[in-house]
Amino acid sequence: MASPGSLASIDPGALAERMARAWADAAPRFGAYHLILPGAPAFVCKVDDCEAACCRVFSVAMHDRDVDHFARVSGLAPVQFLELENGEPIRLPLAQPYLLARDDGRCRFLQPRHRCGAYEARPTACRLYPHFVVYWNLETARPVYADPPPLAAAAAAGPVVPLLLGHEQCPGFTGEPLTAPEWLALLEATDHLQRNLA
């Protein structure tokens, strides 16, 4: 798991070059995403321009830690915010076994004007969106899903390259261009959140 500052010794330019080369092969597999490099627009939540695709299209998977956090922060019992079957939370045979409840084709907590009705309690997947880190193996030209190397090691060298991606349907990539330190911090924070999903 990444720790704060673990990318401090990384040359952002060299890492960005490795990412760009890897993305040339990886891009066809991740058509809903774009590569984020230094100088790319930062994400700024644009609720007034947003169609809340993330809250409509995706079912949000939740880990036990997410369920505990949601219950503690929201004050709701799990049966009030999880998908149910016969009055009990559905538990899927996955690392993230629960699903946040949906009503009428959208997240139950999506409010008017695309606001989140449970923002402070939101699950890790919601905190992560619209960013995602893919580990790409240059030798096999395939993603690494199981046991990716530590972020700092992959960022420094080797056949596996971390790719910081942004979801294409999100209209929020309109902020100031990311500086190299901001970009590295975003990569590190996204990777940390994503590893905590498992």
Side-chain angles (χ1 to χ4, degrees):
M1 182 182 309
S3 60
S6 69
L7 298 183
S9 64
I10 297 298
D11 175 356
L15 177 56
E17 280 184 33
R18 288 180 66 226
M19 284 186 175
R21 283 194 308 270
W23 185 242
D25 288 332
R29 286 182 171 237
F30 300 97
Y33 291 87
H34 62 272
L35 180 64
I36 298 173
L37 295 173
F43 168 72
V44 178
C45 189
K46 301 282 216 175
V47 294
D48 293 331
D49 298 331
C50 182
E51 304 256 340
C54 53
C55 304
R56 295 181 194 284
V57 175
F58 301 117
S59 290
V60 177
M62 297 176 71
H63 193 281
D64 291 316
R65 290 184 305 265
D66 281 326
V67 172
D68 292 342
H69 173 76
F70 202 105
R72 186 176 62 258
V73 173
S74 71
L76 299 174
V79 295
Q80 294 175 287
F81 61 83
L82 294 175
E83 287 289 345
L84 305 175
E85 184 173 80
N86 300 323
E88 293 294 320
I90 297 171
R91 186 172 176 91
L92 302 171
L94 303 169
Q96 301 165 56
Y98 300 102
L99 293 174
L100 190 61
R102 296 175 59 82
D103 295 323
D104 301 320
R106 62 175 178 73
C107 174
R108 177 174 291 168
F109 297 95
L110 181 61
Q111 301 295 304
R113 299 196 60 214
H114 307 126
R115 305 273 190 221
C116 177
Y119 188 78
E120 292 303 319
R122 72 196 188 281
T124 305
C126 299
R127 293 174 190 277
L128 186 62
Y129 188 84
H131 300 102
F132 186 62
V133 175
V134 169
Y135 283 83
W136 187 259
N137 188 316
L138 295 167
E139 293 173 351
T140 64
R142 298 182 58 84
V144 177
Y145 292 118
D147 300 319
L151 175 61
V160 178
V161 180
L163 301 175
L164 178 61
L165 306 181
H167 191 238
E168 283 290 337
Q169 290 184 347
C170 180
F173 291 102
T174 60
E176 292 294 317
L178 289 167
T179 64
E182 290 169 338
W183 175 70
L184 288 174
L186 176 61
L187 171 60
E188 193 167 26
T190 302
D191 184 72
H192 178 75
L193 276 172
Q194 193 167 305
R195 286 177 189 261
N196 281 321
L197 281 173

